[in-house]
Amino acid sequence: MSPVFQNQMFARKLRTLSRCLHVGHTSLGSRLVLGIETSCDDTGAAVLDDTGAILGESLHSQKEVHLRTGGIIPTVAQQLHRENIERVVHEALQRSGVEPGQLSAVATTVKPGLALSLSVGLQFSQRFVRQHNKPFIPIHHMEAHALTVRMLQEVPFPFLVLLVSGGHTLLAVARGVDDFLLLGYSQDEAAGDTLDKVARRLSLIKHPQCATLSGGQAIELLAKEGDRSRFSFRTPMGQTPDCCFSFAGLRNQISMTILKKEAEEGVEQGSLLSCVNDFAAATQHSVAAHLAKRTHRAILFCQSNGLLPSHDPTLVMSGGVASNQYIRKAISIVTDLTGVHLICPPPKFCTDNGVMIAWNGVERLREGMGILAPDVDVTYEPKAPLGRDLAGEVLAAAIKLPPVRLKIQN
């Protein structure tokens, strides 16, 4: 046997022994939760202990498939979940060194999301918990996003949350694990959806730097070399003094301007415009400005109604769009101005994953909230608000915003 092969064998045995010792320790002194996520186009699974340690995880992304089809097709997403969920869960368990019998519970996203995608995760999970006789914890996807930061650092309740993704845009006060006050939400499409649709309208997938990027990532990349002042788009809902969002009208403004430039340049739809970087920069700034203004009003509403601590209040920004550094900077200008501490999880925890679902399960397991016996039937909910709706009270307060200049370097 060669020395190299002997070293490889020794290293493999050492890793196995270390994992066994680790699992043996955690299984004796803490509870283990398997989290499963299939709400949209990512199949994720992870095993966590009740300290938040990630023992093993696996994630299958469908991004490349949906880039080729020009957007998420629900039936395609469902089929890809079906093809990958068993492998993803097996990998998470295998990497953690945890057997199904050692789990304390299984937590799975059941709302909100794409119906066909949610159905795959829920059906698999219910078969799994019944086979292994484990408690089941249904998870609200946005609750999981809101609480992920508490796995990474100590963030006491209450705190303000800005959740910005391809499927959701909302502002809420997190007062407890399952206690939220909803201050504002998108009335049409989400911020991430708008960025993706503008990217498709600009045919950014044909740009040599953007072929493998999502729409939002492509917008952020090209915006760095663009001049946002070349195109001026009206910030939505400027005369409505609440915290709700609307992006469909903004996207229509952008689409009409793209159409005009295509006519000027003699370019057919589907080809790249010469000013594509400027469109990316102007689009990104407009989305950032809308998010910043509504967040500013939410902070002022919370401060005037005692919904946040007077000492070191916190805003948590999460969801896939929270990875955009320009948008983060826009929000930080508002939080600096209002004396609020801004926390953004690392990008890998902003996007959908099994870790955040498992952590939400850990938090609920600790509190004894929403833990079901394995034989209880659960249904998925494609649409599900988060918490108690206070949007009407915010509108009635009619808070006027002071002028704020969002001066951000690309």
Side-chain angles (χ1 to χ4, degrees), residues 55-258:
L55 306 184
E57 62 176 311
S58 180
L59 183 70
H60 175 82
S61 174
Q62 303 176 6
K63 184 176 77 172
E64 289 185 11
V65 173
H66 298 307
L67 278 174
R68 291 197 299 269
T69 59
I72 298 172
I73 300 173
T75 52
V76 174
Q78 180 188 43
Q79 184 58 33
L80 290 171
H81 283 306
R82 283 175 174 163
E83 292 172 2
N84 290 283
I85 189 167
E86 188 167 354
R87 174 185 59 81
V88 166
V89 171
H90 176 73
E91 285 178 356
L93 288 167
Q94 188 177 50
R95 291 167 183 172
S96 69
V98 172
E99 297 293 331
Q102 294 175 284
L103 294 169
S104 301
V106 175
T108 301
T109 307
V110 301
K111 60 183 177 183
L114 298 177
L116 296 179
S117 294
L118 289 169
S119 69
V120 177
L122 178 57
Q123 289 166 9
F124 177 90
S125 299
Q126 294 208 297
R127 287 196 304 270
F128 186 94
V129 296
R130 287 166 184 172
Q131 179 183 350
H132 300 288
N133 194 31
K134 295 297 174 183
F136 182 59
I137 307 176
I139 297 295
H140 191 298
H141 185 76
M142 305 314 290
E143 179 180 298
H145 269 305
L147 299 180
T148 301
V149 69
R150 286 166 49 86
M151 180 187 76
L152 305 170
Q153 63 190 92
E154 186 177 350
V155 182
F157 296 114
F159 56 89
L160 183 61
V161 183
L162 171 62
L163 300 179
V164 201
S165 69
H168 308 276
T169 304
L170 62 85
L171 282 156
V173 178
R175 301 195 300 181
V177 171
D178 69 343
D179 184 5
F180 289 82
L181 300 177
L182 186 60
L183 305 182
Y185 43 86
S186 179
Q187 296 180 335
D188 37 59
E189 62 192 43
D193 190 29
T194 297
L195 293 172
D196 287 342
K197 286 176 177 174
V198 171
R200 285 201 294 275
R201 181 63 183 84
L202 289 168
S203 302
L204 297 190
I205 195 169
K206 295 182 179 179
H207 194 287
Q209 293 178 272
C210 303
T212 61
L213 301 180
S214 68
Q217 291 170 333
I219 292 284
E220 182 177 13
L221 177 65
L222 297 185
K224 293 176 181 178
E225 305 299 325
D227 177 9
R228 69 174 177 83
S229 64
R230 184 167 177 184
F231 302 107
S232 180
F233 302 122
R234 187 174 63 257
T235 304
M237 303 180 73
Q239 303 303 311
T240 308
D242 65 5
C243 293
C244 288
F245 304 90
S246 175
F247 294 97
L250 172 62
R251 181 166 57 83
N252 187 55
Q253 289 182 63
I254 297 167
S255 295
M256 294 298 290
T257 308
I258 292 172

